[in-house]
């Protein structure tokens, strides 16, 4: 089967809580190849481009504050590209549902995520591309040549 690539962002909540190592260990178990990785100080512009399709959602502003680290002490994001058979689905399954409390408790979001009752922020630990097409678009955005 053709190799597939996908983007993972370990979000500032996870970095601030020293959970990045645990997340990466969980992802190692999927036997995909890590082909790129970097620490990113995410600016508003990049966050807004990344979540462009959600611009009209009521939670958009908070989502941008989450990704830029504004809600977590200006912490960075760890961006990783994984490659391998069914990489998109494998990582989405390992991540779990968007809402951390609805996510299977063995998934990354189920294990490490929470909803902050003061900000209502879904501290859901990671972003994972949802299709092959979006993965390619997102990889271009985060890993400019
Ligand atoms: N999100 C939120 N409230 C919602 C839905 C989504 O705060 O009701 C945030 C959450 O951080 C999520 C991101 O918006 O990861 C992107 O939403 P999407 O529907 O793409 O979910 P995902 O693909 O991350 O599971
Ligand atoms: Mg999504």
């Amino acid at each position: 089967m053709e190799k597939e690539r996908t983007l993972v962002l370990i979000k500032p909540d996870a970095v601030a809580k020293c959970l990045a190592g645990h997340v990466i260990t969980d992802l190692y178990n999927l036997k995909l190849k890590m082909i790129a990785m970097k620490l990113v100080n995410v600016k508003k512009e990049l966050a807004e481009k990344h979540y462009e399709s959600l611009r009209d959602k009521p939670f958009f502003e908070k989502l941008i504050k989450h990704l830029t680290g504004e809600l977590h002490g200006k912490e960075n994001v760890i961006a990783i590209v994984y490659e391998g058979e069914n990489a998109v689905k494998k990582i989405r399954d390992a991540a779990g549902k968007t809402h951390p409390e609805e996510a299977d408790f063995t998934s990354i979001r189920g294990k490490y995520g929470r909803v902050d009752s003061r900000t209502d922020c879904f501290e859901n630990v990671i972003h994972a591309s949802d299709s092959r097409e979006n993965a390619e678009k997102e990889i271009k955005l985060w890993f400019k040549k």
Side-chain angles (χ1 to χ4, degrees), residues 92 127-128 130:
R92 288 287 291 187
H127 162 79
D130 63 4

Side-chain angles (χ1 to χ4, degrees), residues 82-105:
Y82 286 95
E83 183 180 80
E85 205 172 302
N86 282 325
V88 170
K89 183 173 188 308
K90 278 183 186 158
I91 293 204
R92 288 287 291 187
D93 288 350
K97 285 192 184 164
T98 307
H99 192 309
E101 283 156 22
E102 287 169 10
D104 188 292
F105 62 76

Side-chain angles (χ1 to χ4, degrees), residues 5-6 8 13 17 20 31-32 38 41 56 62 72-73 81 84 90 97 107 110-111 113 120 127 137 141 143:
R5 301 189 304 171
T6 191
V8 167
D13 56 308
K17 294 175 194 167
K31 311 252 181 285
L32 297 166
K38 68 175 177 181
N41 176 233
D56 296 337
K62 210 174 310 147
H72 296 91
V81 180
K90 278 183 186 158
K97 285 192 184 164
S107 67
K111 282 201 284 192
D120 273 341
H127 162 79
K137 243 171 49 191
L141 178 65
F143 289 84

